[in-house]
Amino acid sequence: MSTFPLTEYLERLCLPPTPLPPPTLETLTTVMLSHMKSIPFENLDVVLRATPEVIPFDKEWIVNKLVKSERGGYCFEQSTVLIEALVALGFEQVRPILARVRWGKALDQQTGTTHMLVTCVINGVTYLADVGFAGTNSVAPINLSISDEPQEKPEGVFKVSQREGYSYLEMQDRNVKTDWRPLYCWSTLPVQLPDLEMCNYFSCHYPAARFTSQFFVSKLIDNQRCFILNNTFVRRNMEGDKVEEETIKTKQRLLELIDYFGIELPVNSEGIDRYL
């Protein structure tokens, strides 16, 4: 029996906990969007090393941080919470997926499986649900049963394609409609807990990994994607247009923005401004 605090999770998402929503596509769509509006993407623990030397990949620890505290997390933590929530809501065949990030990568650049996302089955159809890819992504579920056909979503047009043994999630270029830009790719091999533990460890401890070399925060605020990347704050609308950019010059301003994202800093926040 699941011990996931579903009522607290729904309240965290500003969704009514009763009656419980049914495991439908509409519910999945609502949960995804509300999750990204309520639980920020952030790598504070990696930047501050405010937790033990090894950041734990432990369900209880992750749930306490993202659901019961005013904190967020990166993809392995975000997707872990989403999996627990979807199972508690009665969704079927809820599974973790490990993906290779392709967004912003050269065609011949090799990448590791450093991204975690979720799939589930609704009425026999498999959907991708990703609340942890903080940059350009779909805020709505992607139908994985449709191959090479455009799917219009709130943030743009996406499609799923297969090549070289991988499934790719691609986004249509907003300016050149004939161009498609891959976000990430994954295989259909089952993912086991040791796989997740190894990839999570790499992502938050390897010196050259993304999260160990920069400070990143992201959240949907007023239907706009807001980011902090090191010393820069950016706000983009759902069409991808930049509507605001600010260089963060002081620790005080950084703390104000972190508060704007709804994040409660750990007691020991020494070094939070190391990337300014």
Side-chain angles (χ1 to χ4, degrees):
M1 183 176 178
S2 174
T3 59
F4 180 75
L6 183 57
T7 296
E8 291 180 70
Y9 174 74
L10 293 174
E11 290 175 343
R12 178 95 159 93
L13 270 54
C14 299
L15 298 175
T18 55
L20 282 181
T24 62
L25 179 58
E26 181 181 1
T27 295
L28 179 61
T29 303
T30 298
V31 166
M32 280 184 63
L33 183 60
S34 300
H35 185 119
M36 286 184 272
K37 286 182 175 181
S38 305
I39 304 179
F41 183 104
E42 47 103 330
N43 66 331
L44 274 172
D45 288 331
V46 183
V47 172
L48 297 175
R49 282 292 186 260
T51 52
E53 182 178 349
V54 176
I55 296 175
F57 187 70
D58 174 80
K59 288 181 183 178
E60 182 178 359
W61 187 85
I62 293 170
V63 167
N64 283 338
K65 186 174 76 157
L66 274 68
V67 177
K68 299 184 178 183
S69 305
E70 297 297 316
R71 286 291 310 278
Y74 49 89
C75 64
F76 288 90
E77 298 171 323
Q78 300 276 357
S79 293
T80 294
V81 168
L82 183 63
I83 287 173
E84 294 296 303
L86 295 183
V87 169
L89 286 168
F91 284 87
E92 297 180 347
Q93 300 182 46
V94 183
R95 294 171 178 164
I97 299 292
L98 283 171
R100 303 181 187 276
V101 175
R102 302 308 308 157
W103 185 259
K105 309 297 182 184
L107 290 176
D108 60 350
Q109 183 176 353
Q110 296 182 349
T111 58
T113 49
T114 57
H115 181 51
M116 178 182 172
L117 52 111
V118 181
T119 62
C120 65
V121 175
I122 303 172
N123 295 328
V125 177
T126 303
Y127 289 91
L128 181 154
D130 189 357
V131 295
F133 199 70
T136 301
N137 193 28
S138 174
V139 297
I142 298 291
N143 186 335
L144 296 183
S145 302
I146 302 175
S147 182
D148 290 318
E149 293 185 20
Q151 301 183 43
E152 292 191 16
K153 301 297 177 180
E155 280 192 280
V157 181
F158 297 82
K159 73 174 181 178
V160 179
S161 61
Q162 281 77 35
R163 56 184 181 272
E164 300 174 346
Y166 287 93
S167 295
Y168 282 77
L169 178 64
E170 299 179 298
M171 182 178 183
Q172 186 181 58
D173 190 285
R174 292 188 172 100
N175 298 314
V176 184
K177 303 301 183 182
T178 55
D179 289 352
W180 292 86
R181 303 177 64 188
L183 278 73
Y184 44 76
C185 64
W186 66 94
S187 73
T188 57
L189 292 175
V191 173
Q192 299 182 357
L193 179 59
D195 302 321
L196 298 173
E197 291 174 332
M198 286 192 297
C199 294
N200 175 73
Y201 183 89
F202 175 90
S203 295
C204 57
H205 292 90
Y206 187 67
R210 180 187 183 193
F211 297 141
T212 61
S213 58
Q214 62 184 24
F215 177 43
F216 194 74
V217 181
S218 176
K219 189 179 181 182
L220 278 176
I221 302 175
D222 297 329
N223 287 322
Q224 295 179 323
R225 280 200 183 262
C226 300
F227 308 88
I228 298 173
L229 177 58
N230 295 333
N231 68 337
T232 305
F233 169 75
V234 173
R235 188 193 307 273
R236 294 182 182 274
N237 60 27
M238 296 296 275
E239 290 73 39
D241 300 316
K242 187 185 297 182
V243 297
E244 181 181 353
E245 182 172 345
E246 173 188 347
T247 299
I248 308 168
K249 298 180 179 180
T250 66
K251 180 178 181 180
Q252 179 58 38
R253 179 55 179 155
L254 177 62
L255 295 176
E256 292 171 357
L257 286 170
I258 290 173
D259 182 68
Y260 174 69
F261 280 86
I263 298 171
E264 183 177 335
L265 281 172
V267 175
N268 179 13
S269 58
E270 186 70 27
I272 188 65
D273 56 342
R274 70 176 60 181
Y275 292 112
L276 295 185

